[in-house]
């Protein structure tokens, strides 16, 4: 299973309606994080679990769902976390 699949599997804990994940690692060649093996991703996740929560709380939920992947495999993650009624 590649890293993108592992991320999607981990995000299933948020009961997402949709997940858009973009690997932007190629845009960061030469960056210290890329040299250390960490990947750069941009994420858009829609989940009813985000309803009524502030952006910081939503991001914390994403980080918690990704757990150990954030410690080594993912160097940078740009997050857009929205509730379905915000679309």
């Amino acid at each position: 299973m590649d890293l993108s699949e592992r991320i999607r599997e981990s995000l299933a804990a948020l009961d997402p309606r949709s997940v858009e994940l973009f690997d932007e690692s190629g845009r960061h060649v030469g960056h210290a994080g890329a040299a250390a093996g960490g990947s750069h991703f941009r994420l858009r996740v829609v989940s009813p679990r985000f309803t009524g929560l502030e952006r910081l709380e939503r991001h914390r939920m994403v980080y918690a769902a990704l757990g150990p992947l954030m410690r080594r495999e993912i160097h940078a993650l740009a997050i857009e976390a929205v509730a379905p009624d915000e679309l």
Side-chain angles (χ1 to χ4, degrees), residues 3 5-16 19 43 45 47 49-50 56-71 73-74 77 79 81:
L3 181 55
E5 291 170 340
R6 291 172 58 203
I7 291 170
R8 289 177 187 280
E9 184 177 272
S10 296
L11 292 172
L14 299 175
D15 302 318
V19 173
L43 169 68
V45 58
S47 172
R49 295 192 55 201
F50 297 143
L56 182 59
E57 294 170 295
R58 296 173 184 198
H59 286 209
R60 285 180 178 154
M61 289 174 67
V62 170
Y63 291 133
L66 294 174
L69 293 176
M70 290 302 302
R71 292 189 191 106
E73 288 87 355
I74 301 171
L77 180 64
I79 301 170

Side-chain angles (χ1 to χ4, degrees), residues 12-29:
L14 299 175
D15 302 318
R17 294 233 176 119
S18 69
V19 173
E20 296 175 43
L21 183 65
F22 305 94
D23 187 343
E24 298 182 337
S25 299
R27 297 174 63 191
H28 299 275
V29 173

